[in-house]
mmCIF file of all heavy atoms in Angstrom:
data_model
loop_
_atom_site.group_PDB
_atom_site.id
_atom_site.type_symbol
_atom_site.label_atom_id
_atom_site.label_comp_id
_atom_site.label_asym_id
_atom_site.label_seq_id
_atom_site.Cartn_x
_atom_site.Cartn_y
_atom_site.Cartn_z
ATOM 1 N N MET H 79 16.592 -5.199 49.632
ATOM 2 C CA MET H 79 16.692 -5.600 48.204
ATOM 3 C C MET H 79 16.302 -7.090 48.143
ATOM 4 O O MET H 79 16.731 -7.962 48.959
ATOM 5 C CB MET H 79 18.163 -5.346 47.740
ATOM 6 C CG MET H 79 18.387 -5.830 46.420
ATOM 7 S SD MET H 79 20.011 -5.410 45.914
ATOM 8 C CE MET H 79 19.746 -4.616 44.406
ATOM 9 N N VAL H 80 15.532 -7.357 47.164
ATOM 10 C CA VAL H 80 15.059 -8.830 46.950
ATOM 11 C C VAL H 80 16.155 -9.590 46.226
ATOM 12 O O VAL H 80 16.736 -9.122 45.197
ATOM 13 C CB VAL H 80 13.719 -8.805 45.989
ATOM 14 C CG1 VAL H 80 13.265 -10.208 45.770
ATOM 15 C CG2 VAL H 80 12.689 -7.939 46.711
ATOM 16 N N ASP H 81 16.535 -10.671 46.730
ATOM 17 C CA ASP H 81 17.555 -11.479 46.109
ATOM 18 C C ASP H 81 16.974 -12.201 44.834
ATOM 19 O O ASP H 81 15.758 -12.287 44.685
ATOM 20 C CB ASP H 81 18.206 -12.499 47.133
ATOM 21 C CG ASP H 81 17.261 -13.533 47.605
ATOM 22 O OD1 ASP H 81 16.302 -13.800 46.943
ATOM 23 O OD2 ASP H 81 17.577 -14.034 48.657
ATOM 24 N N SER H 82 17.881 -12.724 44.057
ATOM 25 C CA SER H 82 17.413 -13.389 42.769
ATOM 26 C C SER H 82 16.642 -14.571 43.024
ATOM 27 O O SER H 82 15.803 -14.970 42.162
ATOM 28 C CB SER H 82 18.708 -13.695 41.936
ATOM 29 O OG SER H 82 19.552 -14.560 42.576
ATOM 30 N N VAL H 83 16.914 -15.391 44.116
ATOM 31 C CA VAL H 83 16.023 -16.579 44.392
ATOM 32 C C VAL H 83 14.654 -16.192 44.650
ATOM 33 O O VAL H 83 13.654 -16.751 44.088
ATOM 34 C CB VAL H 83 16.670 -17.327 45.537
ATOM 35 C CG1 VAL H 83 15.766 -18.514 45.876
ATOM 36 C CG2 VAL H 83 18.014 -17.902 45.106
ATOM 37 N N THR H 84 14.418 -15.177 45.488
ATOM 38 C CA THR H 84 13.099 -14.665 45.824
ATOM 39 C C THR H 84 12.415 -14.184 44.532
ATOM 40 O O THR H 84 11.250 -14.509 44.262
ATOM 41 C CB THR H 84 13.100 -13.690 46.813
ATOM 42 O OG1 THR H 84 13.807 -14.159 47.953
ATOM 43 C CG2 THR H 84 11.703 -13.309 47.237
ATOM 44 N N ARG H 85 13.086 -13.417 43.710
ATOM 45 C CA ARG H 85 12.577 -12.909 42.531
ATOM 46 C C ARG H 85 12.197 -13.988 41.503
ATOM 47 O O ARG H 85 11.162 -14.021 40.934
ATOM 48 C CB ARG H 85 13.475 -11.869 41.872
ATOM 49 C CG ARG H 85 12.892 -11.413 40.551
ATOM 50 C CD ARG H 85 13.677 -10.276 39.954
ATOM 51 N NE ARG H 85 13.328 -9.073 40.581
ATOM 52 C CZ ARG H 85 14.048 -8.035 40.844
ATOM 53 N NH1 ARG H 85 15.323 -8.029 40.354
ATOM 54 N NH2 ARG H 85 13.621 -7.006 41.428
ATOM 55 N N GLY H 86 12.995 -14.948 41.476
ATOM 56 C CA GLY H 86 12.751 -16.131 40.609
ATOM 57 C C GLY H 86 11.491 -16.949 41.010
ATOM 58 O O GLY H 86 10.673 -17.271 40.225
ATOM 59 N N CYS H 87 11.371 -17.128 42.313
ATOM 60 C CA CYS H 87 10.191 -17.754 42.789
ATOM 61 C C CYS H 87 8.925 -16.931 42.511
ATOM 62 O O CYS H 87 7.814 -17.547 42.201
ATOM 63 C CB CYS H 87 10.263 -18.019 44.331
ATOM 64 S SG CYS H 87 11.417 -19.215 44.801
ATOM 65 N N GLU H 88 8.985 -15.612 42.610
ATOM 66 C CA GLU H 88 7.771 -14.748 42.361
ATOM 67 C C GLU H 88 7.444 -14.869 40.842
ATOM 68 O O GLU H 88 6.311 -14.899 40.480
ATOM 69 C CB GLU H 88 8.108 -13.287 42.678
ATOM 70 C CG GLU H 88 8.186 -13.088 44.183
ATOM 71 C CD GLU H 88 8.728 -11.688 44.489
ATOM 72 O OE1 GLU H 88 8.978 -10.851 43.503
ATOM 73 O OE2 GLU H 88 8.732 -11.373 45.688
ATOM 74 N N LEU H 89 8.446 -14.887 39.978
ATOM 75 C CA LEU H 89 8.182 -15.027 38.573
ATOM 76 C C LEU H 89 7.478 -16.345 38.274
ATOM 77 O O LEU H 89 6.611 -16.501 37.459
ATOM 78 C CB LEU H 89 9.450 -14.858 37.769
ATOM 79 C CG LEU H 89 10.056 -13.472 37.704
ATOM 80 C CD1 LEU H 89 11.357 -13.439 36.950
ATOM 81 C CD2 LEU H 89 9.078 -12.513 36.953
ATOM 82 N N VAL H 90 8.041 -17.446 38.793
ATOM 83 C CA VAL H 90 7.416 -18.774 38.688
ATOM 84 C C VAL H 90 5.989 -18.742 39.120
ATOM 85 O O VAL H 90 5.094 -19.281 38.401
ATOM 86 C CB VAL H 90 8.248 -19.809 39.367
ATOM 87 C CG1 VAL H 90 7.533 -21.166 39.309
ATOM 88 C CG2 VAL H 90 9.599 -20.073 38.652
ATOM 89 N N LYS H 91 5.728 -18.142 40.274
ATOM 90 C CA LYS H 91 4.372 -18.108 40.807
ATOM 91 C C LYS H 91 3.426 -17.321 39.909
ATOM 92 O O LYS H 91 2.358 -17.698 39.617
ATOM 93 C CB LYS H 91 4.323 -17.545 42.148
ATOM 94 C CG LYS H 91 4.818 -18.449 43.216
ATOM 95 C CD LYS H 91 4.811 -17.804 44.599
ATOM 96 C CE LYS H 91 5.567 -18.636 45.640
ATOM 97 N NZ LYS H 91 5.580 -17.979 46.961
ATOM 98 N N SER H 92 3.893 -16.172 39.399
ATOM 99 C CA SER H 92 3.154 -15.282 38.450
ATOM 100 C C SER H 92 2.905 -16.067 37.123
ATOM 101 O O SER H 92 1.873 -15.961 36.516
ATOM 102 C CB SER H 92 3.720 -13.918 38.254
ATOM 103 O OG SER H 92 4.971 -14.117 37.575
#
Side-chain angles (χ1 to χ4, degrees):
M79 177 176 233
V80 177
D81 64 25
S82 60
V83 173
T84 304
R85 175 171 280 150
C87 289
E88 290 171 359
L89 289 175
V90 168
K91 287 178 186 174
S92 65

